[in-house]
mmCIF file of all heavy atoms in Angstrom:
data_model
loop_
_atom_site.group_PDB
_atom_site.id
_atom_site.type_symbol
_atom_site.label_atom_id
_atom_site.label_comp_id
_atom_site.label_asym_id
_atom_site.label_seq_id
_atom_site.Cartn_x
_atom_site.Cartn_y
_atom_site.Cartn_z
ATOM 1 N N ALA A 183 -146.817 58.189 180.839
ATOM 2 C CA ALA A 183 -147.826 57.570 179.950
ATOM 3 C C ALA A 183 -149.206 58.114 180.162
ATOM 4 O O ALA A 183 -149.968 58.409 179.258
ATOM 5 C CB ALA A 183 -147.723 56.029 180.061
ATOM 6 N N THR A 187 -151.468 60.205 177.468
ATOM 7 C CA THR A 187 -152.742 59.698 177.075
ATOM 8 C C THR A 187 -153.859 60.811 177.301
ATOM 9 O O THR A 187 -154.715 60.988 176.496
ATOM 10 C CB THR A 187 -153.090 58.424 177.869
ATOM 11 O OG1 THR A 187 -152.107 57.482 177.606
ATOM 12 C CG2 THR A 187 -154.478 57.900 177.509
ATOM 13 N N ASP A 205 -148.318 61.247 170.861
ATOM 14 C CA ASP A 205 -148.507 60.941 172.337
ATOM 15 C C ASP A 205 -149.026 59.559 172.517
ATOM 16 O O ASP A 205 -148.604 58.888 173.546
ATOM 17 C CB ASP A 205 -149.533 61.936 172.894
ATOM 18 C CG ASP A 205 -148.774 63.235 173.393
ATOM 19 O OD1 ASP A 205 -147.594 63.251 173.356
ATOM 20 O OD2 ASP A 205 -149.548 64.152 173.812
ATOM 21 N N LEU A 206 -149.889 59.030 171.743
ATOM 22 C CA LEU A 206 -150.426 57.675 171.864
ATOM 23 C C LEU A 206 -149.352 56.667 171.602
ATOM 24 O O LEU A 206 -149.251 55.636 172.350
ATOM 25 C CB LEU A 206 -151.662 57.404 170.995
ATOM 26 C CG LEU A 206 -152.937 58.151 171.490
ATOM 27 C CD1 LEU A 206 -153.985 58.100 170.384
ATOM 28 C CD2 LEU A 206 -153.434 57.624 172.742
ATOM 29 N N ARG A 207 -148.537 56.882 170.641
ATOM 30 C CA ARG A 207 -147.367 55.963 170.378
ATOM 31 C C ARG A 207 -146.448 55.939 171.540
ATOM 32 O O ARG A 207 -145.895 54.907 171.921
ATOM 33 C CB ARG A 207 -146.679 56.340 169.044
ATOM 34 C CG ARG A 207 -147.428 55.951 167.832
ATOM 35 C CD ARG A 207 -146.660 56.096 166.487
ATOM 36 N NE ARG A 207 -147.445 55.907 165.326
ATOM 37 C CZ ARG A 207 -147.829 54.713 164.859
ATOM 38 N NH1 ARG A 207 -147.434 53.554 165.447
ATOM 39 N NH2 ARG A 207 -148.552 54.660 163.789
ATOM 40 N N ARG A 208 -146.180 57.129 172.089
ATOM 41 C CA ARG A 208 -145.248 57.184 173.278
ATOM 42 C C ARG A 208 -145.868 56.455 174.432
ATOM 43 O O ARG A 208 -145.189 55.676 175.109
ATOM 44 C CB ARG A 208 -145.080 58.643 173.634
ATOM 45 C CG ARG A 208 -144.035 58.896 174.684
ATOM 46 C CD ARG A 208 -143.603 60.286 174.908
ATOM 47 N NE ARG A 208 -142.511 60.438 175.704
ATOM 48 C CZ ARG A 208 -142.095 61.544 176.192
ATOM 49 N NH1 ARG A 208 -142.675 62.741 175.894
ATOM 50 N NH2 ARG A 208 -141.003 61.615 176.963
ATOM 51 N N ALA A 209 -147.147 56.692 174.720
ATOM 52 C CA ALA A 209 -147.790 55.971 175.876
ATOM 53 C C ALA A 209 -147.793 54.463 175.589
ATOM 54 O O ALA A 209 -147.557 53.717 176.561
ATOM 55 C CB ALA A 209 -149.212 56.481 176.052
ATOM 56 N N MET A 210 -148.037 54.002 174.404
ATOM 57 C CA MET A 210 -148.055 52.613 174.075
ATOM 58 C C MET A 210 -146.662 52.059 174.300
ATOM 59 O O MET A 210 -146.583 50.969 174.945
ATOM 60 C CB MET A 210 -148.425 52.437 172.612
ATOM 61 C CG MET A 210 -148.562 51.017 172.116
ATOM 62 S SD MET A 210 -149.206 50.892 170.369
ATOM 63 C CE MET A 210 -147.779 51.516 169.515
ATOM 64 N N ALA A 211 -145.625 52.707 173.867
ATOM 65 C CA ALA A 211 -144.183 52.244 174.091
ATOM 66 C C ALA A 211 -143.924 52.128 175.593
ATOM 67 O O ALA A 211 -143.268 51.210 176.073
ATOM 68 C CB ALA A 211 -143.248 53.068 173.286
ATOM 69 N N LEU A 212 -144.307 53.164 176.342
ATOM 70 C CA LEU A 212 -144.110 53.230 177.722
ATOM 71 C C LEU A 212 -144.797 52.065 178.451
ATOM 72 O O LEU A 212 -144.233 51.415 179.384
ATOM 73 C CB LEU A 212 -144.461 54.540 178.387
ATOM 74 C CG LEU A 212 -143.609 55.679 178.022
ATOM 75 C CD1 LEU A 212 -144.294 57.050 178.341
ATOM 76 C CD2 LEU A 212 -142.294 55.622 178.673
ATOM 77 N N GLY A 213 -146.009 51.804 178.026
ATOM 78 C CA GLY A 213 -146.811 50.661 178.588
ATOM 79 C C GLY A 213 -146.032 49.366 178.366
ATOM 80 O O GLY A 213 -146.005 48.558 179.297
ATOM 81 N N ALA A 219 -149.946 46.111 181.130
ATOM 82 C CA ALA A 219 -150.890 45.681 180.055
ATOM 83 C C ALA A 219 -151.998 46.761 179.842
ATOM 84 O O ALA A 219 -152.384 47.076 178.616
ATOM 85 C CB ALA A 219 -151.454 44.397 180.299
ATOM 86 N N GLN A 220 -152.511 47.371 180.856
ATOM 87 C CA GLN A 220 -153.576 48.259 180.656
ATOM 88 C C GLN A 220 -153.155 49.566 180.077
ATOM 89 O O GLN A 220 -153.914 50.107 179.219
ATOM 90 C CB GLN A 220 -154.270 48.543 182.091
ATOM 91 C CG GLN A 220 -155.645 49.161 181.986
ATOM 92 C CD GLN A 220 -156.717 48.231 181.489
ATOM 93 O OE1 GLN A 220 -156.542 47.528 180.413
ATOM 94 N NE2 GLN A 220 -157.765 48.054 182.220
ATOM 95 N N VAL A 221 -151.987 50.069 180.377
ATOM 96 C CA VAL A 221 -151.493 51.299 179.688
ATOM 97 C C VAL A 221 -151.338 51.054 178.225
ATOM 98 O O VAL A 221 -151.782 51.736 177.376
ATOM 99 C CB VAL A 221 -150.197 51.772 180.332
ATOM 100 C CG1 VAL A 221 -149.563 52.843 179.491
ATOM 101 C CG2 VAL A 221 -150.412 52.262 181.759
ATOM 102 N N GLU A 222 -150.739 49.889 177.892
ATOM 103 C CA GLU A 222 -150.506 49.580 176.478
ATOM 104 C C GLU A 222 -151.874 49.323 175.810
ATOM 105 O O GLU A 222 -152.053 49.706 174.728
ATOM 106 C CB GLU A 222 -149.623 48.267 176.347
ATOM 107 C CG GLU A 222 -149.425 47.898 174.874
ATOM 108 C CD GLU A 222 -148.693 46.583 174.734
ATOM 109 O OE1 GLU A 222 -148.232 45.967 175.705
ATOM 110 O OE2 GLU A 222 -148.653 46.107 173.585
ATOM 111 N N ARG A 223 -152.762 48.647 176.424
ATOM 112 C CA ARG A 223 -153.978 48.255 175.902
ATOM 113 C C ARG A 223 -154.817 49.554 175.461
ATOM 114 O O ARG A 223 -155.278 49.585 174.333
ATOM 115 C CB ARG A 223 -154.797 47.485 176.931
ATOM 116 C CG ARG A 223 -156.116 46.952 176.412
ATOM 117 C CD ARG A 223 -156.743 46.125 177.536
ATOM 118 N NE ARG A 223 -158.046 45.676 177.169
ATOM 119 C CZ ARG A 223 -159.113 45.669 178.056
ATOM 120 N NH1 ARG A 223 -158.897 45.955 179.308
ATOM 121 N NH2 ARG A 223 -160.275 45.248 177.648
ATOM 122 N N TRP A 224 -155.034 50.416 176.337
ATOM 123 C CA TRP A 224 -155.843 51.559 175.982
ATOM 124 C C TRP A 224 -155.209 52.554 175.061
ATOM 125 O O TRP A 224 -155.795 53.169 174.220
ATOM 126 C CB TRP A 224 -156.391 52.181 177.302
ATOM 127 C CG TRP A 224 -157.427 51.332 177.909
ATOM 128 C CD1 TRP A 224 -157.383 50.588 179.031
ATOM 129 C CD2 TRP A 224 -158.662 50.975 177.253
ATOM 130 N NE1 TRP A 224 -158.511 49.834 179.166
ATOM 131 C CE2 TRP A 224 -159.334 50.078 178.094
ATOM 132 C CE3 TRP A 224 -159.345 51.303 176.122
ATOM 133 C CZ2 TRP A 224 -160.632 49.503 177.830
ATOM 134 C CZ3 TRP A 224 -160.577 50.760 175.843
ATOM 135 C CH2 TRP A 224 -161.171 49.869 176.649
ATOM 136 N N SER A 225 -153.908 52.851 175.199
ATOM 137 C CA SER A 225 -153.263 53.719 174.311
ATOM 138 C C SER A 225 -153.228 53.105 172.880
ATOM 139 O O SER A 225 -153.379 53.817 171.886
ATOM 140 C CB SER A 225 -151.845 54.007 174.712
ATOM 141 O OG SER A 225 -151.020 52.860 174.947
ATOM 142 N N THR A 226 -153.023 51.735 172.738
ATOM 143 C CA THR A 226 -153.025 51.069 171.460
ATOM 144 C C THR A 226 -154.466 51.129 170.861
ATOM 145 O O THR A 226 -154.655 51.405 169.673
ATOM 146 C CB THR A 226 -152.575 49.609 171.644
ATOM 147 O OG1 THR A 226 -151.312 49.647 172.196
ATOM 148 C CG2 THR A 226 -152.550 48.931 170.265
ATOM 149 N N PHE A 227 -155.478 50.911 171.715
ATOM 150 C CA PHE A 227 -156.858 51.025 171.247
ATOM 151 C C PHE A 227 -157.168 52.424 170.691
ATOM 152 O O PHE A 227 -157.765 52.543 169.611
ATOM 153 C CB PHE A 227 -157.807 50.711 172.490
ATOM 154 C CG PHE A 227 -159.246 50.756 172.139
ATOM 155 C CD1 PHE A 227 -159.934 49.661 171.641
ATOM 156 C CD2 PHE A 227 -159.982 51.935 172.485
ATOM 157 C CE1 PHE A 227 -161.255 49.786 171.358
ATOM 158 C CE2 PHE A 227 -161.336 51.957 172.260
ATOM 159 C CZ PHE A 227 -161.977 50.878 171.636
ATOM 160 N N ASN A 228 -156.751 53.475 171.419
ATOM 161 C CA ASN A 228 -157.042 54.832 170.954
ATOM 162 C C ASN A 228 -156.231 55.178 169.708
ATOM 163 O O ASN A 228 -156.741 55.832 168.799
ATOM 164 C CB ASN A 228 -156.732 55.861 172.093
ATOM 165 C CG ASN A 228 -157.765 55.645 173.171
ATOM 166 O OD1 ASN A 228 -158.910 55.389 172.984
ATOM 167 N ND2 ASN A 228 -157.400 55.965 174.463
ATOM 168 N N LEU A 229 -154.955 54.730 169.672
ATOM 169 C CA LEU A 229 -154.172 54.932 168.490
ATOM 170 C C LEU A 229 -154.860 54.294 167.147
ATOM 171 O O LEU A 229 -154.855 54.820 166.173
ATOM 172 C CB LEU A 229 -152.788 54.423 168.608
ATOM 173 C CG LEU A 229 -151.848 54.592 167.417
ATOM 174 C CD1 LEU A 229 -151.733 56.055 166.937
ATOM 175 C CD2 LEU A 229 -150.463 54.064 167.742
ATOM 176 N N ALA A 230 -155.326 53.072 167.353
ATOM 177 C CA ALA A 230 -155.958 52.348 166.240
ATOM 178 C C ALA A 230 -157.190 53.167 165.823
ATOM 179 O O ALA A 230 -157.370 53.289 164.641
ATOM 180 C CB ALA A 230 -156.385 51.000 166.627
ATOM 181 N N GLY A 231 -157.886 53.781 166.758
ATOM 182 C CA GLY A 231 -159.081 54.579 166.365
ATOM 183 C C GLY A 231 -158.639 55.879 165.552
ATOM 184 O O GLY A 231 -159.314 56.168 164.584
ATOM 185 N N PRO A 249 -155.209 45.341 171.518
ATOM 186 C CA PRO A 249 -156.030 45.557 172.772
ATOM 187 C C PRO A 249 -156.858 44.360 173.069
ATOM 188 O O PRO A 249 -156.999 43.971 174.233
ATOM 189 C CB PRO A 249 -156.828 46.796 172.502
ATOM 190 C CG PRO A 249 -156.125 47.481 171.343
ATOM 191 C CD PRO A 249 -155.504 46.469 170.571
#
Side-chain angles (χ1 to χ4, degrees):
T187 301
D205 273 355
L206 288 169
R207 286 189 188 280
R208 187 173 190 189
M210 185 175 70
L212 289 165
Q220 197 69 309
V221 169
E222 180 187 351
R223 181 178 178 219
W224 287 112
S225 56
T226 304
F227 179 84
N228 289 330
L229 178 57

